[in-house]
Amino acid sequence: DRSYVVNVSRSFLLSLLILTSATKVRLLYPVEQGFCLSDLSQVLIAYAAFDPEVGYSSGMAFLAAIPLTLLPPEQAFWIFVYLMRNQNLRMLCFTNQLIGHIFMFAKIFETKFPKYYKQLNCIGFETVYLSAYFKAIGAHVLSTRMMVEVVELVLQYGMNVFYAITLTMFEYHRHFLKTLNFERLLDIESILACRYIPTKYLVKRSLQHLPHVIAITNRFHVVNGTLVLREGHQDIPSRKSRVLRRFRKLFC
């Protein structure tokens, strides 16, 4: 149980939790409910028994805590099961699959904002720095209120919407992120945690990015931790190759 307490005390942006007793946690946000750490332990232990292949992984505490802020433990458990199995978030508990999803986001980012992506790469940014962020689908970066919105969207649209949410966060903070040096980019999760983004904007803009995300995820899929082009699809041509192709059509 100690590991669960440590993980929960790190969640919700660290300082948003206060351990008031051995088993109780109170959220600083007055509009949100507290919950028992013993309830969280029960949910995580029950899931470990329900899905022994996954067992317990550190990022799971963040995810399981979100439904517990709104629902009793039994209902929160089944919401958590649905997220893990039906929306395939359990794959994030396996390192090779997690890296594959990070590569998928890199492809989405690169095709949507090629110039911005190249600028971040030039100062040393790699999407692999987001591994802990992806493992907990941002629960230790976004506020609790925002995470409720995120979980609701993930329930509806699956992992694709999380790609879109992450893309929106990078887009919203693009001017700030381009000013950072390599050392600060290594701690990209803490930087995102400290930067404000309006919830309504995040949801609206993420849904606008969703068609692009779906187009990329329909073209590629993750196999053994690598990004593989689906059968019958072609890779997305670079801007230079598209210009050359258009030139040939016009003048050749």
Side-chain angles (χ1 to χ4, degrees), residues 169-183:
M169 292 179 68
F170 272 88
E171 179 189 24
Y172 188 79
H173 300 309
R174 62 189 180 278
H175 298 300
F176 174 74
L177 292 177
K178 286 189 288 189
T179 65
L180 301 179
N181 57 28
F182 173 71
E183 288 75 16

Side-chain angles (χ1 to χ4, degrees), residues 141-154:
V141 171
L142 303 172
S143 69
T144 313
R145 184 180 301 172
M146 198 174 289
M147 270 309 301
V148 172
E149 296 277 356
V150 170
V151 169
E152 198 171 306
L153 289 171
V154 171

Side-chain angles (χ1 to χ4, degrees), residues 109 116 119-121 123-125 130 166-182 184-185 187-193 195:
F109 191 176
Y116 177 25
Q119 287 173 331
L120 289 183
N121 276 348
I123 56 178
F125 172 75
L130 295 168
T166 309
L167 191 65
T168 301
M169 292 179 68
F170 272 88
E171 179 189 24
Y172 188 79
H173 300 309
R174 62 189 180 278
H175 298 300
F176 174 74
L177 292 177
K178 286 189 288 189
T179 65
L180 301 179
N181 57 28
F182 173 71
R184 293 199 66 191
L185 281 172
D187 197 22
I188 185 70
E189 295 169 22
S190 299
I191 292 170
L192 290 175
R195 306 293 297 182

Side-chain angles (χ1 to χ4, degrees), residues 16 26 68 86 103 126 165 187 194 232:
L16 302 185
R26 177 170 59 84
L68 275 171
N86 294 61
F103 288 160
E126 298 287 345
I165 287 166
D187 197 22
C194 296

